[in-house]
mmCIF file of all heavy atoms in Angstrom:
data_model
loop_
_atom_site.group_PDB
_atom_site.id
_atom_site.type_symbol
_atom_site.label_atom_id
_atom_site.label_comp_id
_atom_site.label_asym_id
_atom_site.label_seq_id
_atom_site.Cartn_x
_atom_site.Cartn_y
_atom_site.Cartn_z
ATOM 1 N N LEU J 114 22.837 37.061 -19.079
ATOM 2 C CA LEU J 114 22.440 37.183 -17.676
ATOM 3 C C LEU J 114 23.004 36.014 -16.873
ATOM 4 O O LEU J 114 23.134 34.903 -17.383
ATOM 5 C CB LEU J 114 20.910 37.217 -17.557
ATOM 6 C CG LEU J 114 20.186 38.351 -18.292
ATOM 7 C CD1 LEU J 114 18.760 38.481 -17.773
ATOM 8 C CD2 LEU J 114 20.890 39.689 -18.134
ATOM 9 N N THR J 115 23.341 36.280 -15.631
ATOM 10 C CA THR J 115 23.858 35.227 -14.748
ATOM 11 C C THR J 115 22.681 34.368 -14.265
ATOM 12 O O THR J 115 21.523 34.792 -14.360
ATOM 13 C CB THR J 115 24.551 35.822 -13.509
ATOM 14 O OG1 THR J 115 23.556 36.528 -12.747
ATOM 15 C CG2 THR J 115 25.667 36.778 -13.890
ATOM 16 N N SER J 116 22.996 33.193 -13.717
ATOM 17 C CA SER J 116 21.884 32.353 -13.256
ATOM 18 C C SER J 116 21.111 33.034 -12.126
ATOM 19 O O SER J 116 19.899 32.871 -12.015
ATOM 20 C CB SER J 116 22.365 30.967 -12.844
ATOM 21 O OG SER J 116 23.473 31.085 -12.009
ATOM 22 N N ALA J 117 21.796 33.841 -11.314
ATOM 23 C CA ALA J 117 21.084 34.553 -10.241
ATOM 24 C C ALA J 117 20.121 35.592 -10.834
ATOM 25 O O ALA J 117 19.005 35.770 -10.346
ATOM 26 C CB ALA J 117 22.082 35.229 -9.307
ATOM 27 N N GLN J 118 20.553 36.263 -11.910
ATOM 28 C CA GLN J 118 19.680 37.270 -12.534
ATOM 29 C C GLN J 118 18.474 36.601 -13.204
ATOM 30 O O GLN J 118 17.354 37.110 -13.128
ATOM 31 C CB GLN J 118 20.471 38.081 -13.571
ATOM 32 C CG GLN J 118 21.529 38.981 -12.929
ATOM 33 C CD GLN J 118 22.427 39.649 -13.949
ATOM 34 O OE1 GLN J 118 22.751 39.066 -14.994
ATOM 35 N NE2 GLN J 118 22.840 40.868 -13.669
ATOM 36 N N ILE J 119 18.727 35.438 -13.837
ATOM 37 C CA ILE J 119 17.626 34.705 -14.488
ATOM 38 C C ILE J 119 16.616 34.243 -13.436
ATOM 39 O O ILE J 119 15.410 34.388 -13.592
ATOM 40 C CB ILE J 119 18.189 33.506 -15.290
ATOM 41 C CG1 ILE J 119 18.991 34.038 -16.491
ATOM 42 C CG2 ILE J 119 17.073 32.564 -15.748
ATOM 43 C CD1 ILE J 119 19.776 32.983 -17.253
ATOM 44 N N GLN J 120 17.128 33.738 -12.321
ATOM 45 C CA GLN J 120 16.248 33.289 -11.233
ATOM 46 C C GLN J 120 15.418 34.458 -10.690
ATOM 47 O O GLN J 120 14.230 34.326 -10.396
ATOM 48 C CB GLN J 120 17.095 32.664 -10.113
ATOM 49 C CG GLN J 120 16.295 32.085 -8.961
ATOM 50 C CD GLN J 120 15.433 30.891 -9.384
ATOM 51 O OE1 GLN J 120 15.884 30.031 -10.129
ATOM 52 N NE2 GLN J 120 14.188 30.844 -8.925
ATOM 53 N N MET J 121 16.050 35.616 -10.590
ATOM 54 C CA MET J 121 15.350 36.796 -10.070
ATOM 55 C C MET J 121 14.177 37.170 -10.984
ATOM 56 O O MET J 121 13.070 37.473 -10.514
ATOM 57 C CB MET J 121 16.344 37.949 -9.948
ATOM 58 C CG MET J 121 15.764 39.181 -9.337
ATOM 59 S SD MET J 121 17.037 40.435 -9.093
ATOM 60 C CE MET J 121 17.000 41.247 -10.684
ATOM 61 N N ILE J 122 14.409 37.126 -12.301
ATOM 62 C CA ILE J 122 13.344 37.453 -13.260
ATOM 63 C C ILE J 122 12.221 36.417 -13.175
ATOM 64 O O ILE J 122 11.043 36.748 -13.150
ATOM 65 C CB ILE J 122 13.933 37.556 -14.693
ATOM 66 C CG1 ILE J 122 14.763 38.836 -14.775
ATOM 67 C CG2 ILE J 122 12.824 37.526 -15.747
ATOM 68 C CD1 ILE J 122 15.453 39.061 -16.096
ATOM 69 N N LYS J 123 12.620 35.146 -13.070
ATOM 70 C CA LYS J 123 11.619 34.074 -12.943
ATOM 71 C C LYS J 123 10.756 34.287 -11.689
ATOM 72 O O LYS J 123 9.529 34.223 -11.744
ATOM 73 C CB LYS J 123 12.350 32.730 -12.873
ATOM 74 C CG LYS J 123 11.467 31.522 -12.752
ATOM 75 C CD LYS J 123 12.354 30.273 -12.753
ATOM 76 C CE LYS J 123 11.552 29.028 -12.526
ATOM 77 N NZ LYS J 123 12.422 27.831 -12.534
ATOM 78 N N ASP J 124 11.424 34.568 -10.569
ATOM 79 C CA ASP J 124 10.685 34.783 -9.318
ATOM 80 C C ASP J 124 9.721 35.960 -9.445
ATOM 81 O O ASP J 124 8.574 35.892 -9.020
ATOM 82 C CB ASP J 124 11.655 35.060 -8.152
ATOM 83 C CG ASP J 124 12.430 33.809 -7.749
ATOM 84 O OD1 ASP J 124 12.034 32.698 -8.160
ATOM 85 O OD2 ASP J 124 13.448 33.954 -7.045
ATOM 86 N N TRP J 125 10.200 37.040 -10.051
ATOM 87 C CA TRP J 125 9.354 38.233 -10.182
ATOM 88 C C TRP J 125 8.104 37.907 -11.012
ATOM 89 O O TRP J 125 6.993 38.278 -10.641
ATOM 90 C CB TRP J 125 10.162 39.375 -10.822
ATOM 91 C CG TRP J 125 9.338 40.577 -11.137
ATOM 92 C CD1 TRP J 125 8.770 41.435 -10.240
ATOM 93 C CD2 TRP J 125 8.964 41.046 -12.442
ATOM 94 N NE1 TRP J 125 8.072 42.413 -10.916
ATOM 95 C CE2 TRP J 125 8.182 42.190 -12.264
ATOM 96 C CE3 TRP J 125 9.235 40.603 -13.742
ATOM 97 C CZ2 TRP J 125 7.647 42.910 -13.338
ATOM 98 C CZ3 TRP J 125 8.712 41.312 -14.812
ATOM 99 C CH2 TRP J 125 7.931 42.456 -14.611
ATOM 100 N N ILE J 126 8.275 37.164 -12.097
ATOM 101 C CA ILE J 126 7.123 36.785 -12.943
ATOM 102 C C ILE J 126 6.161 35.913 -12.133
ATOM 103 O O ILE J 126 4.951 36.140 -12.110
ATOM 104 C CB ILE J 126 7.601 36.043 -14.214
ATOM 105 C CG1 ILE J 126 8.393 36.981 -15.123
ATOM 106 C CG2 ILE J 126 6.399 35.432 -14.968
ATOM 107 C CD1 ILE J 126 9.046 36.292 -16.323
ATOM 108 N N MET J 127 6.705 34.922 -11.424
ATOM 109 C CA MET J 127 5.856 33.990 -10.674
ATOM 110 C C MET J 127 5.180 34.667 -9.479
ATOM 111 O O MET J 127 4.136 34.235 -9.017
ATOM 112 C CB MET J 127 6.675 32.784 -10.194
ATOM 113 C CG MET J 127 7.261 31.945 -11.308
ATOM 114 S SD MET J 127 6.082 31.556 -12.614
ATOM 115 C CE MET J 127 5.059 30.364 -11.786
ATOM 116 N N GLN J 128 5.790 35.749 -8.988
ATOM 117 C CA GLN J 128 5.188 36.468 -7.855
ATOM 118 C C GLN J 128 4.140 37.474 -8.338
ATOM 119 O O GLN J 128 3.632 38.280 -7.566
ATOM 120 C CB GLN J 128 6.289 37.172 -7.045
ATOM 121 C CG GLN J 128 7.176 36.173 -6.310
ATOM 122 C CD GLN J 128 8.488 36.758 -5.822
ATOM 123 O OE1 GLN J 128 8.840 37.896 -6.153
ATOM 124 N NE2 GLN J 128 9.230 35.991 -5.045
ATOM 125 N N GLY J 129 3.849 37.468 -9.628
ATOM 126 C CA GLY J 129 2.769 38.308 -10.137
ATOM 127 C C GLY J 129 3.221 39.486 -10.989
ATOM 128 O O GLY J 129 2.395 40.281 -11.424
ATOM 129 N N ALA J 130 4.532 39.620 -11.220
ATOM 130 C CA ALA J 130 5.074 40.708 -12.057
ATOM 131 C C ALA J 130 4.500 42.067 -11.646
ATOM 132 O O ALA J 130 4.005 42.836 -12.463
ATOM 133 C CB ALA J 130 4.829 40.419 -13.547
ATOM 134 N N LEU J 131 4.543 42.328 -10.356
ATOM 135 C CA LEU J 131 3.972 43.572 -9.825
ATOM 136 C C LEU J 131 4.910 44.759 -10.032
ATOM 137 O O LEU J 131 6.116 44.593 -10.140
ATOM 138 C CB LEU J 131 3.718 43.424 -8.321
ATOM 139 C CG LEU J 131 2.735 42.341 -7.888
ATOM 140 C CD1 LEU J 131 2.774 42.169 -6.378
ATOM 141 C CD2 LEU J 131 1.322 42.694 -8.370
ATOM 142 N N GLU J 132 4.304 45.971 -10.033
ATOM 143 C CA GLU J 132 5.131 47.184 -10.143
ATOM 144 C C GLU J 132 5.409 47.702 -8.729
ATOM 145 O O GLU J 132 4.839 48.700 -8.292
ATOM 146 C CB GLU J 132 4.392 48.260 -10.954
ATOM 147 C CG GLU J 132 5.229 49.500 -11.195
ATOM 148 C CD GLU J 132 4.485 50.590 -11.937
ATOM 149 O OE1 GLU J 132 3.246 50.494 -12.073
ATOM 150 O OE2 GLU J 132 5.147 51.556 -12.373
ATOM 151 N N THR J 133 6.279 47.011 -8.024
ATOM 152 C CA THR J 133 6.552 47.437 -6.656
ATOM 153 C C THR J 133 7.689 48.461 -6.615
ATOM 154 O O THR J 133 8.530 48.510 -7.509
ATOM 155 C CB THR J 133 6.986 46.234 -5.790
ATOM 156 O OG1 THR J 133 7.969 45.503 -6.531
ATOM 157 C CG2 THR J 133 5.834 45.339 -5.463
ATOM 158 N N ASP J 134 7.656 49.276 -5.573
ATOM 159 C CA ASP J 134 8.800 50.139 -5.270
ATOM 160 C C ASP J 134 8.947 50.083 -3.756
ATOM 161 O O ASP J 134 8.309 50.840 -3.023
ATOM 162 C CB ASP J 134 8.558 51.573 -5.744
ATOM 163 C CG ASP J 134 9.766 52.453 -5.456
ATOM 164 O OD1 ASP J 134 10.729 51.968 -4.817
ATOM 165 O OD2 ASP J 134 9.753 53.634 -5.848
ATOM 166 N N CYS J 135 9.775 49.161 -3.286
ATOM 167 C CA CYS J 135 9.877 48.938 -1.843
ATOM 168 C C CYS J 135 10.904 49.864 -1.200
ATOM 169 O O CYS J 135 11.260 49.681 -0.031
ATOM 170 C CB CYS J 135 10.212 47.474 -1.563
ATOM 171 S SG CYS J 135 9.039 46.325 -2.310
ATOM 172 N N GLY J 136 11.385 50.835 -1.963
ATOM 173 C CA GLY J 136 12.326 51.802 -1.397
ATOM 174 C C GLY J 136 13.708 51.205 -1.226
ATOM 175 O O GLY J 136 13.977 50.071 -1.596
ATOM 176 N N CYS J 137 14.573 51.986 -0.676
ATOM 177 C CA CYS J 137 15.974 51.611 -0.548
ATOM 178 C C CYS J 137 16.414 52.125 0.810
ATOM 179 O O CYS J 137 16.071 53.230 1.204
ATOM 180 C CB CYS J 137 16.719 52.288 -1.709
ATOM 181 S SG CYS J 137 18.509 52.306 -1.607
ATOM 182 N N ASP J 138 17.098 51.292 1.566
ATOM 183 C CA ASP J 138 17.372 51.601 2.961
ATOM 184 C C ASP J 138 18.869 51.810 3.185
ATOM 185 O O ASP J 138 19.649 50.870 3.081
ATOM 186 C CB ASP J 138 16.833 50.413 3.793
ATOM 187 C CG ASP J 138 17.115 50.564 5.261
ATOM 188 O OD1 ASP J 138 17.591 51.653 5.671
ATOM 189 O OD2 ASP J 138 16.869 49.594 6.001
ATOM 190 N N THR J 139 19.251 53.047 3.510
ATOM 191 C CA THR J 139 20.684 53.335 3.663
ATOM 192 C C THR J 139 21.232 52.897 5.016
ATOM 193 O O THR J 139 22.420 53.034 5.274
ATOM 194 C CB THR J 139 20.976 54.844 3.524
ATOM 195 O OG1 THR J 139 20.145 55.534 4.440
ATOM 196 C CG2 THR J 139 20.745 55.329 2.115
ATOM 197 N N THR J 140 20.353 52.383 5.904
ATOM 198 C CA THR J 140 20.885 51.986 7.210
ATOM 199 C C THR J 140 21.514 50.600 7.167
ATOM 200 O O THR J 140 22.230 50.205 8.072
ATOM 201 C CB THR J 140 19.773 51.990 8.289
ATOM 202 O OG1 THR J 140 18.716 51.150 7.840
ATOM 203 C CG2 THR J 140 19.270 53.391 8.545
ATOM 204 N N SER J 141 21.218 49.838 6.105
ATOM 205 C CA SER J 141 21.855 48.522 6.034
ATOM 206 C C SER J 141 22.723 48.455 4.787
ATOM 207 O O SER J 141 22.276 48.807 3.700
ATOM 208 C CB SER J 141 20.782 47.430 6.033
ATOM 209 O OG SER J 141 20.540 46.938 4.746
ATOM 210 N N TYR J 142 23.963 48.054 4.944
ATOM 211 C CA TYR J 142 24.834 48.036 3.773
ATOM 212 C C TYR J 142 25.941 46.990 3.882
ATOM 213 O O TYR J 142 27.106 47.295 3.973
ATOM 214 C CB TYR J 142 25.445 49.419 3.472
ATOM 215 C CG TYR J 142 25.956 50.162 4.681
ATOM 216 C CD1 TYR J 142 27.264 49.996 5.110
ATOM 217 C CD2 TYR J 142 25.125 51.031 5.372
ATOM 218 C CE1 TYR J 142 27.732 50.674 6.221
ATOM 219 C CE2 TYR J 142 25.582 51.715 6.480
ATOM 220 C CZ TYR J 142 26.876 51.525 6.897
ATOM 221 O OH TYR J 142 27.324 52.185 7.997
ATOM 222 N N THR J 143 25.532 45.713 3.902
ATOM 223 C CA THR J 143 26.563 44.685 3.816
ATOM 224 C C THR J 143 26.859 44.468 2.337
ATOM 225 O O THR J 143 26.012 44.744 1.475
ATOM 226 C CB THR J 143 26.117 43.343 4.436
ATOM 227 O OG1 THR J 143 25.002 42.853 3.697
ATOM 228 C CG2 THR J 143 25.742 43.497 5.891
ATOM 229 N N PHE J 144 28.058 43.964 2.067
ATOM 230 C CA PHE J 144 28.429 43.758 0.670
ATOM 231 C C PHE J 144 27.478 42.788 -0.008
ATOM 232 O O PHE J 144 26.911 43.075 -1.058
ATOM 233 C CB PHE J 144 29.875 43.251 0.553
ATOM 234 C CG PHE J 144 30.248 43.001 -0.881
ATOM 235 C CD1 PHE J 144 30.484 44.061 -1.734
ATOM 236 C CD2 PHE J 144 30.315 41.710 -1.382
ATOM 237 C CE1 PHE J 144 30.776 43.851 -3.076
ATOM 238 C CE2 PHE J 144 30.613 41.491 -2.725
ATOM 239 C CZ PHE J 144 30.845 42.566 -3.568
ATOM 240 N N SER J 145 27.272 41.612 0.627
ATOM 241 C CA SER J 145 26.513 40.566 -0.073
ATOM 242 C C SER J 145 25.039 40.901 -0.273
ATOM 243 O O SER J 145 24.501 40.665 -1.345
ATOM 244 C CB SER J 145 26.659 39.240 0.659
ATOM 245 O OG SER J 145 26.289 39.421 2.006
#
Side-chain angles (χ1 to χ4, degrees):
L114 301 196
T115 64
S116 48
Q118 291 173 325
I119 292 171
Q120 183 65 43
M121 184 175 87
I122 288 178
K123 180 178 175 180
D124 289 345
W125 173 69
I126 293 173
M127 297 313 287
Q128 291 164 352
L131 299 170
E132 184 183 12
T133 47
D134 181 355
C135 305
C137 167
D138 177 8
T139 54
T140 55
S141 101
Y142 44 89
T143 63
F144 178 74
S145 54

